[in-house]
Structures are given as C-alpha cells and as structure tokens.
C-alpha cells in the first residue's frame, strides 16, 4: 500500500505543479481566467502578483511531496515518508481552508484535495502495515 501512497503523492504533486503553472506563468491568459473565474484581463493584472506568489506555494508543496517520494524510493524511508505526509497533508489542509472559507468553492477544493487525501490515507496504511 505504501507504493500506492507514493504514486498518489506524485500525482498530487503533478496536479499542484499544474496549478503553479496556471497561477504563476499563465495567470492573465483567457483560459486561466476562465478556470479561476476572473472576470476580465484587468482584474487578472490586478491580482497577478498575488497569484504569482500563491502559485509558488503550490510548487513548493509539490516539491516537498516529490522529494519525499524520491527519498522513500531510495531507502530513506523515515525522512521520505515524513516529507510525503508534510507535502500532501498541507495540500489537503489548503483544500479544507478553501472549502471552509467559501462553500461555493466545493468543486475546486475537491479537485485540490482528493489526491492528497488518498495519498495520506494510503501512505498511512502502508506505513502501518509495513
């Protein structure tokens, strides 16, 4: 089950790298504005600095989880699994904050938090069983 957790953690990281790209690299593009519900290019330009910063938060969470996956595979299980839990746990916590702060963001929170939730559960089962 640990392998399943690591695969889910890597998938969580990939999704958060995608979010990073949208927020930090493509924020003012029409497709990105549509995804995030930003009404106009002028609004996107106004929010660009905040989105840029937020995108890097997503990137750093992804890198934490990926480093954990890599270290676990290389045999540094304690450190690796700790980083997997830290990265995916914070991804899950961020999704919960999004949902609790605005109930209309259920779809976005679900997209952001499902893979990390599954990664945390599978990794925990894998660690407990191993």
């Amino acid at each position: 089950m640990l392998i399943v957790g690591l695969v889910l953690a890597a998938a969580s990281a990939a999704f958060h790298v995608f979010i990073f790209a949208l927020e930090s690299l493509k924020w003012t593009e029409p497709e990105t504005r549509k995804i995030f519900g930003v009404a106009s290019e002028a609004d996107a330009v106004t929010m660009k600095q905040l989105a840029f910063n937020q995108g890097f938060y997503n990137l750093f969470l992804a890198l934490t989880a990926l480093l954990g996956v890599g270290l676990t595979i290389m045999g540094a299980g304690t450190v690796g699994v700790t980083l997997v839990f830290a990265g995916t746990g914070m991804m899950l916590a961020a999704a919960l904050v999004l949902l609790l702060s605005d109930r209309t963001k259920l779809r976005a929170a679900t997209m952001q938090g499902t893979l990390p939730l599954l990664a945390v559960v599978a990794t925990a089962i894998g660690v407990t069983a191993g």
Side-chain angles (χ1 to χ4, degrees):
M1 188 61 83
L2 180 59
I3 297 298
V4 172
L6 297 178
V7 169
L8 289 166
S12 300
F15 183 74
H16 280 74
V17 169
F18 172 69
I19 295 172
F20 156 76
L22 291 176
E23 292 175 339
S24 295
L25 306 176
K26 299 181 175 197
W27 183 251
T28 57
E29 293 182 10
E31 300 82 23
T32 303
R33 293 195 327 257
K34 183 177 179 183
I35 290 169
F36 287 95
V38 178
S40 68
E41 185 173 357
D43 289 345
V45 168
T46 300
M47 300 183 320
K48 186 175 182 178
Q49 184 178 8
L50 294 172
F52 183 78
N53 189 334
Q54 185 170 312
F56 273 89
Y57 276 92
N58 283 293
L59 178 62
F60 298 145
L61 293 175
L63 292 175
T64 299
L66 287 174
L67 181 59
V69 169
L71 287 171
T72 303
I73 290 169
M74 292 182 350
T78 301
V79 173
V81 168
T82 300
L83 288 172
V84 167
F85 280 131
T88 57
M90 286 186 275
M91 291 172 190
L92 178 57
L96 290 172
V97 168
L98 179 61
L99 177 62
L100 294 173
S101 67
D102 185 349
R103 301 285 183 180
T104 67
K105 303 291 188 217
L106 173 62
R107 182 175 182 271
T110 300
M111 289 176 62
Q112 180 180 333
T114 299
L115 284 171
L117 171 62
L118 295 173
V120 166
V121 170
T123 303
I125 291 170
V127 168
T128 303

